[in-house]
Amino acid sequence: ISQRIYKDFSKADRVMSFNSPLMMVCVYVSMILVAWMGAKQIVASGNNAALGLTTGDLTALVTYAMQILMAMMMLSMIFVMCIISQASAERICQVLNEESTVTNPADPVKEVADGSIEFSDVNFRYSDNSEKPVLDNINLKIGSGMTVGIVGGTGSAKSSLVQLVPRLYDVTSGSLKVGGVDVRDYDMEVLRDQVAMVLQKNVLFSGTIADNLRWGNPNATDEEIRHACQLAQADGFIQEFPDKYDTYIEQGGTNVSGGQRQRLCIARALLKKPKILILDDSTSAVDTKTDQLIRAAFHNEIPDTTKIIIAQRIASVQESDMILVMEEGRITASGTHEELLKTCDEYRSIYESQTKNQAQPEELQ
Ligand SMILES: Nc1ncnc2c1ncn2[C@@H]1O[C@H](COP(=O)(O)OP(=O)(O)OP(=O)(O)O)[C@@H](O)[C@H]1O
Ligand SMILES: [Mg+2]
């Protein structure tokens, strides 16, 4: 596609680069003609106004002709611009009219019974043409209210796995059930209201903190907002702002720190009161102590919500009921922290690399 754009643009530019000299030639040829004919008339009339053209008339004529020609050149430029914008408009419409492949079923289920999740033989690829599946034969059962940790290297398809739960993508084969019902049978809005996800790359919008949090639930009361923020350990720093919950957040949340932004996004997700809460590396910029407090708050305050926590730090998932180790789109091991320490070498080596005191310089040499 890049190659084609490159060719089209080169062709267009070549045509355009001829355009300008050609027009200039036309303009100056016309001027020469006007001057030549005018001069002939002046000579013929002996510069006598009564008989024909005078030098003054000719100067005026040349100036007018020049102005008209320039205006016509502008017109042709506008014409070119119109054609370019038409192509752009077509492209914009194409994007706006694109139909999502994920659509509501004919007779959708309107209620999510509980927060249980079941993957059976799930395969998934982003594009039909890709040869290797991103998720390869995933079988997994998560009970309602469980806390599940997921660890694994970058690109091991952790995010891809959890994106299937709110049906951001459809499985390629196999089935994924939430609350005992296939996700494809739910009304999408109902499903996504019950599955809150804090993305790896999260966004805040320009507006006050309270406005931003109400994206999670437009009808939330001030108390509910405050409670969600206390759970996400965000209330503390919000109270320190002079305007508290009315503090203005700049576009993209640039005037709060990375860790503060992550906590606000967690609070926003909690406001939905979801049955399933997914945190995709959402406490990576939060210090370990606060991370611990957030997890403790989840444990005590929302015990019935299924929590899926993707993390790079083992400490963030250590107390989970089940930890999954992912590698290249497959779940290579699962179990509690203690079990995995005994059975999974990969997990143990990650754990040791994170908990051992900094390696001594001599050891590194
Ligand atoms: N939108 C997409 N379209 C096509 N391929 C994608 C897309 N998103 C991810 N992939 C591919 O899927 C694979 C898994 O990516 P994924 O984002 O799930 O990894 P991850 O485990 O979440 O990594 P990280 O720890 O860096 O967040 C990668 O090989 C990636 O190139
Ligand atoms: Mg990811």
Side-chain angles (χ1 to χ4, degrees):
I1 289 171
S2 293
Q3 194 69 36
R4 213 173 65 210
I5 292 176
Y6 166 76
K7 269 194 192 144
D8 283 353
F9 264 90
S10 313
K11 205 168 126 191
D13 264 342
R14 217 171 300 139
V15 175
M16 295 271 279
S17 62
F18 275 115
N19 192 29
S20 168
L22 199 73
M23 297 231 286
M24 279 308 181
V25 166
C26 290
V27 168
Y28 286 114
V29 165
S30 321
M31 297 312 297
I32 290 170
L33 278 178
V34 170
W36 186 61
M37 310 251 285
K40 266 178 69 171
Q41 286 211 14
I42 292 171
V43 172
S45 67
N47 212 3
N48 185 335
L51 294 173
L53 213 60
T54 64
T55 319
D57 290 337
L58 179 63
T59 314
L61 194 64
V62 167
T63 314
Y64 284 136
M66 193 73 176
Q67 277 182 5
I68 292 168
L69 286 168
M70 284 300 166
M72 279 168 72
M73 249 170 80
M74 276 300 170
L75 212 64
S76 78
M77 286 291 186
I78 291 173
F79 184 67
V80 171
M81 286 297 166
C82 280
I83 290 179
I84 293 179
S85 40
Q86 188 194 354
S88 306
E90 270 170 21
R91 181 76 188 115
I92 291 171
C93 289
Q94 210 178 358
V95 173
L96 289 180
N97 295 334
E98 179 71 31
E99 293 274 332
S100 172
T101 49
V102 178
T103 48
N104 255 351
D107 185 19
V109 179
K110 293 271 189 193
E111 185 152 352
V112 180
D114 59 28
S116 63
I117 303 171
E118 189 180 344
F119 286 79
S120 6
D121 301 322
V122 167
N123 285 289
F124 173 67
R125 51 187 88 210
Y126 281 99
S127 147
D128 294 336
N129 323 333
S130 54
E131 46 184 84
K132 227 176 124 220
V134 173
L135 287 171
D136 191 5
N137 200 25
I138 302 285
N139 282 293
L140 177 66
K141 243 186 178 158
I142 300 173
S144 189
M146 269 173 86
T147 303
V148 177
I150 305 182
V151 291
T154 51
S156 54
K158 303 181 294 295
S159 302
S160 306
L161 180 79
V162 294
Q163 277 176 18
L164 300 179
V165 179
R167 207 181 164 209
L168 298 187
Y169 294 92
D170 269 338
V171 297
T172 310
S173 69
S175 79
L176 167 58
K177 286 184 179 149
V178 169
V181 177
D182 196 298
V183 285
R184 286 166 288 195
D185 295 337
Y186 279 112
D187 180 69
M188 267 193 297
E189 204 170 327
V190 170
L191 176 69
R192 289 176 185 175
D193 268 345
Q194 294 303 331
V195 182
M197 188 152 154
V198 183
L199 296 176
Q200 203 162 6
K201 183 174 173 291
N202 38 42
V203 221
L204 291 174
F205 303 99
S206 46
T208 65
I209 290 184
D211 288 344
N212 262 288
L213 295 176
R214 283 208 171 89
W215 278 91
N217 175 2
N219 306 318
T221 61
D222 290 347
E223 280 72 51
E224 284 174 322
I225 290 187
R226 178 109 197 252
H227 185 239
C229 286
Q230 280 165 344
L231 286 186
Q233 308 302 319
D235 189 54
F237 74 82
I238 295 174
Q239 296 298 346
E240 282 172 21
F241 292 143
D243 294 334
K244 303 197 164 56
Y245 283 84
D246 293 325
T247 305
Y248 194 80
I249 304 275
E250 301 291 341
Q251 173 70 38
T254 43
N255 59 338
V256 286
S257 78
Q260 289 172 340
R261 198 176 333 156
Q262 286 187 330
R263 279 179 276 169
L264 288 175
C265 290
I266 294 174
R268 182 171 62 183
L270 286 173
L271 262 190
K272 268 183 177 285
K273 299 207 176 77
K275 290 207 166 83
I276 299 173
L277 175 68
I278 300 171
L279 304 182
D280 189 350
D281 217 1
S282 312
T283 53
S284 57
V286 174
D287 60 274
T288 32
K289 176 91 197 321
T290 314
D291 187 15
Q292 166 112 40
L293 288 173
I294 295 174
R295 274 178 287 125
F298 283 177
H299 185 77
N300 299 329
E301 305 265 345
I302 47 167
D304 299 331
T305 303
T306 310
K307 297 161 281 281
I308 302 183
I309 303 174
I310 298 180
Q312 300 292 347
R313 284 198 294 249
I314 297 278
S316 304
V317 295
Q318 202 167 337
E319 305 123 31
S320 311
D321 302 312
M322 176 163 67
I323 301 170
L324 309 174
V325 183
M326 292 203 64
E327 210 176 308
E328 292 183 6
R330 271 171 292 117
I331 298 175
T332 48
S334 68
T336 60
H337 176 67
E338 281 71 29
E339 285 166 7
L340 285 175
L341 276 186
K342 283 195 204 109
T343 55
C344 179
D345 294 338
E346 162 95 17
Y347 184 81
R348 195 171 45 238
S349 74
I350 303 175
Y351 179 67
E352 281 170 359
S353 72
Q354 291 182 3
T355 49
K356 238 195 225 160
N357 292 337
Q358 293 294 314
Q360 299 299 317
E362 299 91 299
E363 283 176 32
L364 287 174
Q365 278 162 7

